[in-house]
């Protein structure tokens, strides 16, 4: 699941750079039934974004500055890449195409 999340995050960041606009991010695993909701969601609005998870124990309104949350997710991608390469003893760049993932609700226009 961590490899799948990493690839979804990486693709989301790539699309944001390509279109110069922060897209919604909804992460589902291949095994997860999407009717239960996205495991992790980032919903941008204006210069803010709401971060949610189906694993939340308590209902919170997690709103962050958009620039801050994108910066933190970018750092998370960098850290995950380093840890995945260390743990699995692989070069992610050579392995990334073999990781299945689902990236939904991204507007590429």
């Amino acid at each position: 699941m961590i490899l799948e999340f990493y690839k979804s995050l990486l693709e989301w960041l790539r699309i944001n750079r390509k279109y110069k606009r922060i897209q919604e991010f909804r992460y589902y695993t291949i095994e997860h039934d999407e009717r239960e909701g996205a495991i992790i969601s980032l919903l941008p609005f204006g210069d803010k974004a709401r971060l949610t998870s189906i694993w939340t124990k308590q209902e919170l309104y997690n709103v962050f500055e958009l620039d801050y949350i994108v910066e933190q997710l970018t750092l998370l991608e960098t850290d995950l890449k380093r840890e995945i390469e260390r743990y699995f003893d692989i070069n992610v760049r050579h392995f990334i195409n073999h990781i299945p993932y689902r990236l939904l609700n991204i507007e590429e226009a």
Side-chain angles (χ1 to χ4, degrees):
M1 187 161 124
I2 195 70
L3 295 173
E4 188 180 355
F5 174 73
Y6 172 76
K7 185 169 182 178
S8 296
L9 182 59
L10 183 67
E11 288 298 312
W12 176 76
L13 290 167
R14 182 190 63 77
I15 289 168
N16 288 339
R17 283 190 299 273
K18 179 178 179 181
Y19 293 101
K20 296 177 177 66
R21 190 174 89 216
I22 305 304
Q23 305 289 320
E24 237 179 61
F25 177 68
R26 294 181 187 264
Y27 170 65
Y28 301 86
T29 67
I30 291 173
E31 297 89 18
H32 180 72
D33 185 346
E34 65 186 69
R35 292 174 293 181
E36 296 175 42
I39 293 173
I40 298 171
S41 298
L42 178 72
L43 309 167
F45 57 96
D47 63 346
K48 305 228 183 283
R50 181 170 184 218
L51 187 64
T52 62
S53 172
I54 62 169
W55 294 328
T56 303
K57 299 277 187 204
Q58 185 177 24
E59 188 63 30
L60 299 172
Y61 190 68
N62 296 318
V63 176
F64 299 91
E65 294 294 323
L66 186 57
D67 290 342
Y68 171 78
I69 198 67
V70 171
E71 176 185 318
Q72 293 305 306
L73 290 171
T74 302
L75 291 171
L76 176 61
E77 182 275 326
T78 301
D79 291 346
L80 279 175
K81 178 180 187 256
R82 183 181 59 247
E83 291 302 316
I84 288 167
E85 289 181 335
R86 185 189 60 77
Y87 184 82
F88 292 105
D89 194 26
I90 61 171
N91 182 322
V92 168
R93 189 179 54 156
H94 297 121
F95 191 73
I96 197 76
N97 291 331
H98 302 287
I99 302 171
Y101 78 108
R102 289 176 55 193
L103 186 57
L104 302 177
N105 294 333
I106 288 191
E107 301 171 22
E108 291 203 23

